[in-house]
Amino acid sequence: MPELEALEQTGSVRIILLLSRRGDVTLTDLRDNVGCSISSIYNALPKLKNAGIIQESLEADFPRRRRISLTAKGKRVAEKLADVERILSE
């Protein structure tokens, strides 16, 4: 199942859960809040994007700054991951 490969990448689940809690974020936000290396984040983002889980946009005021957010599909995935997180914390 190649679609699951995006979730197997280090940091992917944490990225999805952070985006579900915060909405759109910058790469700096991810680096400061995901709890894994920046290289892991950079490796995870293209896989999540190719899986249709995240999308990227450029800020109007700072066109070099990328904003990352969940797609509709990503929001559905985040809901399921939040359920798993709740079950594991019981």
Side-chain angles (χ1 to χ4, degrees):
M1 300 180 135
E3 297 85 11
L4 289 177
E5 289 177 14
L7 296 179
E8 294 172 347
Q9 182 67 44
T10 301
S12 290
V13 171
R14 287 184 245 163
I15 290 169
I16 293 167
L17 291 172
L18 178 73
L19 291 171
S20 74
R21 292 181 183 114
R22 295 221 179 150
D24 68 332
V25 299
T26 64
L27 287 172
T28 302
D29 294 330
L30 288 177
R31 182 195 67 212
D32 293 345
N33 295 289
V34 168
C36 62
S37 70
I38 193 70
S39 62
S40 293
I41 293 169
Y42 277 115
N43 288 331
L45 291 179
K47 292 180 181 181
L48 292 169
K49 188 174 180 181
N50 289 339
I53 295 171
I54 65 165
Q55 57 194 1
E56 296 180 17
S57 59
L58 298 176
E59 284 190 3
D61 295 338
F62 300 98
R64 295 185 69 198
R65 186 182 298 166
R66 295 188 302 174
R67 305 287 303 182
I68 297 121
S69 60
L70 293 173
T71 61
K73 179 182 181 179
K75 289 175 184 175
R76 291 192 313 270
V77 170
E79 289 173 10
K80 301 298 182 190
L81 290 173
D83 289 342
V84 170
E85 185 179 44
R86 274 190 293 280
I87 291 167
L88 293 174
S89 68
E90 291 177 348

